[in-house]
Amino acid sequence: MASEVKKAERSGAAGKRTGDERALFDAFAHLTSGKEAARFLRDLATPGELSAFAERWRIARLLDEGKLSYREIASATGASTTTVGRVARFLREENHQGYRLVLDRMAEKSGAKR
């Protein structure tokens, strides 16, 4: 019986988290500019979280350029090679492809060739 209660609690928390995540993603979709995104993110995240997001985004851009090794990117950004490897995995292998989506859209908008 106790295990059933714990299982129900876990699934309830996961369901709430999924709904909360969807609500957050929908909130981002309502932003119309970089300035609006900055205002929202500065309210939402701590300075350390923003710094981590910015670091990962810089790593993604450097990986996409393809000019530096993982070690060189780690050195240039101050990130660990583990973080560089994780970003690389999400950029190239994971099914979300969020980095790829934004990088491609930004390249299209700027007229840059890929």
Side-chain angles (χ1 to χ4, degrees):
M1 181 73 155
S3 65
E4 290 175 14
V5 170
K6 288 187 180 205
K7 191 175 184 181
E9 287 174 354
R10 282 194 304 269
S11 67
K16 183 177 190 286
R17 184 174 51 245
T18 301
D20 289 344
E21 286 176 2
R22 259 188 256 121
L24 176 62
F25 302 151
D26 289 344
F28 275 106
H30 284 83
L31 300 171
T32 61
S33 70
K35 284 184 181 184
E36 287 183 3
R39 290 173 58 191
F40 184 60
L41 281 167
R42 285 189 177 114
D43 283 349
L44 184 67
T46 66
E49 290 165 335
L50 281 177
S51 179
F53 293 155
E55 177 182 87
R56 282 180 238 152
W57 182 234
R58 183 171 179 215
I59 292 166
R61 293 187 333 260
L62 289 170
L63 286 165
D64 192 51
E65 288 175 6
K67 296 176 183 174
L68 301 175
S69 70
Y70 285 20
R71 287 200 185 285
E72 290 169 324
I73 291 172
S75 178
T77 62
S80 68
T81 54
T82 302
T83 298
V84 175
R86 182 180 186 279
V87 172
R89 188 180 83 241
F90 275 84
L91 179 63
R92 297 192 176 107
E93 299 169 17
E94 296 294 330
N95 64 354
H96 308 298
Q97 292 298 296
Y99 288 129
R100 179 84 279 133
L101 174 72
V102 176
L103 287 165
D104 289 349
R105 284 195 183 159
M106 291 176 76
E108 286 174 15
K109 193 169 188 174
S110 72
K113 290 191 176 189
R114 299 215 28 85

